[in-house]
Amino acid sequence: MNVQARQTPTTAAASKLAIADGDIHPTRKLASEFDPWLEKRWRDDIATFGTRQRQQWQNAPAYPKAQPNASRRDAYPPEGGRQGSSLPFMQQQHLDPNNVALGILNPLGTGQGLQNIDMSIALCHATNEWQQEYWTKPDRRLRASVVVPYEDPIASAKEIRRYADNADFVQVFMLSRTSEPMGSRKYWPIYEAAAEVGMPVGVHAFGYGGNPMTPGGYPSYYTEEMVGHSQAQQSGLASLVVEGVFARFPSLKMIMIEAGFAWAPSLTWRLDNAWRRLKQETPHLTRLPSEYIRDQVWWTTQPMEEPEPRAHLRDAINWIGWDRLIFATDYPHWDYDDPATSLPLKISEAERQAFFIGNARNVYRGV
Amino acid sequence: MTPLLAPGAIDCDIHPAVPNLAALLPYMDQPWREQVVVRGIDDLATIAYPANSPLTCRADWRPADKSVPASSLAQVRRDALDPFGTSIAIANCLYGVQALFSEDMAAAYATAVNRWMAAEWLDKEPRLRASIIVAAQGPELAVDEIERWAHDKRFVQVLLLVSGATPLGKRALWPIYRAAEKYGLAIGIHAGSAYHNPPTSVGWPTYYTEDYVSQAQAFQSQLTSMICEGVFNKFPNLKVVLLESGFTWLPAHLWRLTKFWRGLRMEIPWVDRAPADIVRSNVRLSLQPVDGPPDRDSLLRIFDHMQSDELILFSTDYPHWQFDGTAAIPDGLPADLVRKMTHDNPRATYARLLETVA
């Protein structure tokens, strides 16, 4: 984490194990790249009023990042533009040398969770068309996410069904800091549509739901925001289980993205223990919380926990299941996990295969 | 099989309860006492523990006469002190003082609860110690309350709720920590919320089950806050005890916190030790609820991940339903670890337990 400039690997890609990357962040070189898919009304409103989120700043995240765009300082494309905005440079710096055979695009900062929901709907659709035009058509290793305006679940379900037969789109994309806990019935149309079209729902850290970032109020530091994504996702996952989303949509798959995974065993044990005592209020649950989680939840790996000694990480993965983790780099962000060094455990060939690509092939649609 | 505790076990979290608001009135100053009557103020019973929830009181501990569980000394002696051979139990009274919006009213209720605790419990039962209830809504008034009781060595801790109006590391609360450190009182942080913010960072849940489960996330956030804000740098002798927090989340949380501390130290340069080191020197957690895996070996792995046998303090969490019978200690823990949890760790944490009380 926080390496200032990495040596680009020079090993011939063909000699390396092919990997999947469950968390790649493409960005626009120019804001106007969305324009072909935005009505004039939205182009004008965005120019006049901006894209107001449920936080204080016009053009910045709630907590200042530790480096520009929270990205690797060596990830600026040589031709200019922000990190993650150049396909040729992404290919040269990441996809080719790391032999990424399958890269999942998770666009951030596009228009999810805006105060103006109609604007959010318009921007999310533009994002989806843009992914196809700028990324998945030119590079067939990349697959897109259906970015949904999740605070309007009906519109989101419509957007999901729009891409039902489009093989370039392999997951539905939400952010974890929702305005209500993720299991709330408000969001059920999203899960219903995702299950119907056979896409997993990926839940990525971040978002501005309008709630304080802890149940004790807003913390002071970016460090706390980053650590806190894990707590937000734990509460979101608990909600999905307890409110019965998994029970109601048994074919639904959820992927928890960029909020760690080692917290999952403890949360699962706590859910089981609490549910055994309190199940009177949740008759819609017919199995232990842990059973729904074991069958229907996956996690991407970055930023990988780094216990000392590292062998403790193996315990955590054993508890979660080696079939449930999807390797991810978070390229081009600052806390990028390098596939060559980020899992310093002695693992079997079968575990390596599952961790670096097999699990991804099992969870994403049609890959 | 019930583990047999060696004589002298110290139970660090039990919950003697206020039977009703009328019981506090003799201990309340005017004009607050009169306001209770004139305004028709109800009991400060928060939604953190719904009265009839199975978790709020274990079925066989519920009084037959429907009175508030754990509200009489006879019950507490019979169900919480005698069966475990407890030599000392720390009473953490959960009464919704912290949830009031008025700082003055909250401070008046805190004083009343502490007077009631001293007179109705501590004066009558030598095995009991207690936490000073304070209303963190008004830190200056909270310090006044700490100073009111500091001379009384039967009070061993200052009690806060895990979720209040602001994160617990914030500087506005430091006068409370300064006073606690000065007088040799631990800071106890107990599960529960003032409900001045939503109980989760993603809003209000539907079910009580989610509220209870989410307490663990609240503890994680507050531990992050206290470490990042530098509370333990400023008050190196302060002991913080997380109560009814669960503890199996601790190793994974420290792995993550340590990783971001390493990556983002430029933001919080005063944090000059790894979070796990800070926890080992300054933070302790109560045993119940164990929130453990179903098998003994995995639970032993969690203790291994904690890399210390000094972090966990024995607790029954009486009368909350966390275990059945007298099985307060999970089966299969090594005897020396049990001895540390029940005897050595509490004494090392609560300096005042070593002092003679009149």
Side-chain angles (χ1 to χ4, degrees):
Chain A
M1 174 179 279
N2 207 22
V3 173
Q4 298 298 313
R6 289 176 174 77
Q7 192 86 36
T8 298
T10 52
T11 315
S15 68
K16 278 193 187 176
L17 177 75
I19 64 168
D21 184 346
D23 193 25
I24 294 176
H25 298 296
T27 55
R28 286 169 283 173
K29 198 177 296 282
L30 301 168
S32 59
E33 287 175 16
F34 280 1
D35 285 358
W37 303 286
L38 286 175
E39 291 172 23
K40 180 172 186 304
R41 181 220 163 155
W42 295 120
R43 297 199 303 271
D44 290 348
D45 276 8
I46 291 165
T48 309
F49 302 107
T51 51
R52 291 170 305 114
Q53 306 189 72
R54 293 182 178 186
Q55 57 106 336
Q56 62 273 49
W57 310 116
Q58 290 187 33
N59 299 310
Y63 293 82
K65 308 285 189 188
Q67 46 265 90
N69 301 318
S71 290
R72 287 168 50 169
R73 294 185 195 274
D74 63 350
Y76 284 105
E79 72 269 33
R82 64 179 276 175
Q83 309 92 328
S85 67
S86 159
L87 176 59
F89 189 60
M90 183 187 289
Q91 291 166 333
Q92 179 196 328
Q93 188 173 39
H94 176 45
L95 302 179
D96 297 343
N98 289 319
N99 201 6
V100 176
L102 170 65
I104 307 299
L105 301 173
N106 293 328
L108 297 175
T110 60
Q112 292 183 297
L114 302 184
Q115 290 187 37
N116 183 333
I117 287 197
D118 285 320
M119 183 186 285
S120 185
I121 293 169
L123 277 167
C124 285
H125 179 62
T127 304
N128 294 330
E129 292 296 309
W130 169 83
Q131 287 181 81
Q132 187 161 25
E133 195 64 28
Y134 279 74
W135 301 89
T136 62
K137 275 188 186 170
D139 192 324
R140 303 307 295 166
R141 293 171 293 186
L142 298 175
R143 290 292 186 277
S145 298
V146 182
V147 175
V148 291
Y150 49 81
E151 298 299 355
D152 184 339
I154 302 295
S156 298
K158 195 173 155 199
E159 188 71 9
I160 292 165
R161 292 192 174 98
R162 200 173 204 159
Y163 295 97
D165 300 318
N166 187 328
D168 282 14
F169 290 81
V170 299
Q171 77 169 344
V172 173
F173 191 68
M174 297 176 69
L175 300 177
S176 55
R177 292 196 187 274
T178 43
S179 67
E180 292 180 33
M182 298 210 96
S184 162
R185 71 191 55 207
K186 164 182 159 176
Y187 300 110
W188 291 0
I190 297 174
Y191 309 129
E192 182 181 30
E196 179 188 307
V197 305
M199 292 188 205
V201 175
V203 181
H204 192 285
F206 291 95
Y208 300 103
N211 296 298
M213 292 207 182
T214 84
Y218 282 95
S220 301
Y221 305 109
Y222 174 54
T223 311
E224 296 177 85
E225 183 197 24
M226 291 301 288
V227 174
H229 291 309
S230 155
Q231 285 75 59
Q233 288 220 355
Q234 289 174 62
S235 296
L237 179 54
S239 168
L240 287 163
V241 172
V242 176
E243 309 236 3
V245 169
F246 296 123
R248 285 183 174 87
F249 306 107
S251 66
L252 178 70
K253 299 172 181 177
M254 300 290 297
I255 306 173
M256 314 308 282
I257 305 170
E258 206 187 330
F261 55 84
W263 46 262
S266 174
L267 176 73
T268 304
W269 300 328
R270 184 170 174 87
L271 274 164
D272 278 359
N273 290 345
W275 185 70
R276 284 195 185 96
R277 286 161 175 72
L278 301 169
K279 60 187 175 184
Q280 176 191 324
E281 68 169 352
T282 51
H284 48 275
L285 300 185
T286 54
R287 305 160 70 200
L288 281 169
S290 57
E291 296 176 46
Y292 294 111
I293 291 173
R294 187 68 183 84
D295 286 349
Q296 293 180 256
V297 182
W298 281 255
W299 289 261
T300 63
T301 56
Q302 181 280 338
M304 191 110 58
E305 284 91 348
E306 296 174 357
E308 297 286 349
R310 295 297 168 93
H312 290 171
L313 191 63
R314 171 174 279 284
D315 291 329
I317 299 178
N318 287 344
W319 287 324
I320 292 167
W322 280 88
D323 59 340
R324 281 300 183 267
L325 297 181
I326 300 161
F327 178 74
T329 65
D330 196 29
Y331 181 88
H333 290 159
W334 69 281
D335 45 350
Y336 171 89
D337 272 350
D338 187 326
T341 57
S342 60
L343 183 65
L345 292 175
K346 283 196 170 64
I347 59 177
S348 71
E349 197 46 43
E351 288 166 344
R352 180 173 299 280
Q353 177 69 21
F355 185 90
F356 280 105
I357 194 162
N359 298 337
R361 294 223 185 271
N362 286 334
V363 71
Y364 295 110
R365 184 179 79 154
V367 295
Chain B
M1 191 187 104
T2 303
L4 196 61
L5 300 184
I10 297 171
D11 184 343
C12 295
D13 190 31
I14 70 167
H15 301 297
V18 175
N20 49 57
L21 186 47
L24 284 187
L25 292 184
Y27 302 101
M28 198 175 283
D29 292 330
Q30 292 290 23
W32 306 104
R33 189 165 66 221
E34 185 181 325
Q35 285 206 9
V36 169
V37 179
V38 171
R39 299 172 73 174
I41 293 174
D42 202 355
D43 268 303
L44 305 185
T46 77
I47 56 174
Y49 296 95
N52 296 314
S53 157
L55 208 148
T56 299
C57 181
R58 206 171 92 179
D60 59 323
W61 287 336
R62 280 195 185 273
D65 64 2
K66 310 282 187 199
S67 60
V68 170
S71 65
S72 79
L73 183 54
Q75 282 178 67
V76 170
R77 282 174 174 152
R78 186 188 64 228
D79 295 333
L81 300 179
D82 298 342
F84 302 94
T86 301
S87 66
I88 292 176
I90 300 173
N92 295 317
C93 181
L94 300 177
Y95 196 64
V97 172
Q98 301 88 346
L100 290 165
F101 288 107
S102 158
E103 294 178 25
D104 293 317
M105 183 185 280
Y109 275 78
T111 303
V113 171
N114 293 326
R115 286 174 177 158
W116 165 86
M117 176 62 73
E120 301 289 341
W121 299 83
L122 302 181
D123 286 353
K124 295 175 179 173
E125 174 49 69
R127 287 173 290 183
L128 288 178
R129 301 292 184 277
S131 293
I132 302 169
I133 305 301
V134 298
Q137 300 94 314
E140 290 182 3
L141 295 172
V143 170
D144 290 347
E145 191 64 24
I146 292 168
E147 292 185 334
R148 186 195 305 275
W149 299 102
H151 69 282
D152 185 338
K153 301 294 187 183
R154 300 173 304 178
F155 286 97
V156 300
Q157 176 169 256
V158 175
L159 195 71
L160 303 174
L161 290 186
V162 69
S163 294
T166 59
L168 291 177
K170 287 275 191 180
R171 253 151 269 193
L173 300 176
W174 285 14
I176 296 174
Y177 306 141
R178 182 175 292 113
E181 186 187 50
K182 175 180 171 186
Y183 294 113
L185 293 155
I187 293 286
I189 300 173
H190 198 279
S193 177
Y195 297 98
H196 295 186
N197 289 298
T200 85
S201 60
V202 288
W204 290 86
T206 303
Y207 299 106
Y208 175 67
T209 308
E210 297 168 77
D211 181 308
Y212 191 74
V213 168
S214 74
Q215 299 298 321
Q217 288 95 67
F219 277 102
Q220 292 161 34
S221 301
Q222 297 293 20
L223 183 58
T224 305
S225 170
M226 295 184 92
I227 289 173
C228 289
E229 300 267 4
V231 169
F232 302 107
N233 303 79
K234 189 73 178 178
F235 308 108
N237 297 314
L238 189 68
K239 291 277 195 265
V240 168
V241 184
L242 310 185
L243 296 159
E244 203 179 333
S245 53
F247 61 86
T248 60
W249 51 263
L250 181 70
H253 183 65
L254 290 174
W255 300 343
R256 182 175 176 86
L257 178 55
T258 299
K259 178 158 177 161
F260 283 102
W261 168 71
R262 284 202 188 108
L264 298 169
R265 285 182 66 180
M266 55 86 116
E267 188 186 37
I268 46 172
W270 48 84
V271 183
D272 54 3
R273 291 186 296 153
D277 292 339
I278 294 171
V279 167
R280 275 191 282 275
S281 60
N282 295 83
V283 180
R284 299 292 178 264
L285 303 91
S286 65
L287 176 66
Q288 292 288 349
V290 172
D291 285 339
D295 62 299
R296 168 184 174 275
D297 285 350
S298 293
L299 185 61
L300 290 175
R301 298 300 305 141
I302 288 288
F303 276 96
D304 190 32
H305 293 184
M306 288 195 285
Q307 301 188 56
S308 170
D309 56 6
E310 296 179 350
L311 299 186
I312 304 299
L313 312 183
F314 172 62
S315 70
T316 59
D317 194 23
Y318 169 84
H320 300 164
W321 181 24
Q322 308 293 10
F323 57 88
D324 292 310
T326 51
I329 307 257
D331 278 343
L333 296 186
D336 54 342
L337 175 61
V338 173
R339 166 86 201 179
K340 286 209 129 193
M341 291 192 305
T342 54
H343 292 69
D344 304 340
N345 297 348
R347 287 181 202 282
T349 304
Y350 294 106
R352 290 183 164 214
L353 292 183
L354 305 176
E355 299 189 39
T356 310
V357 293

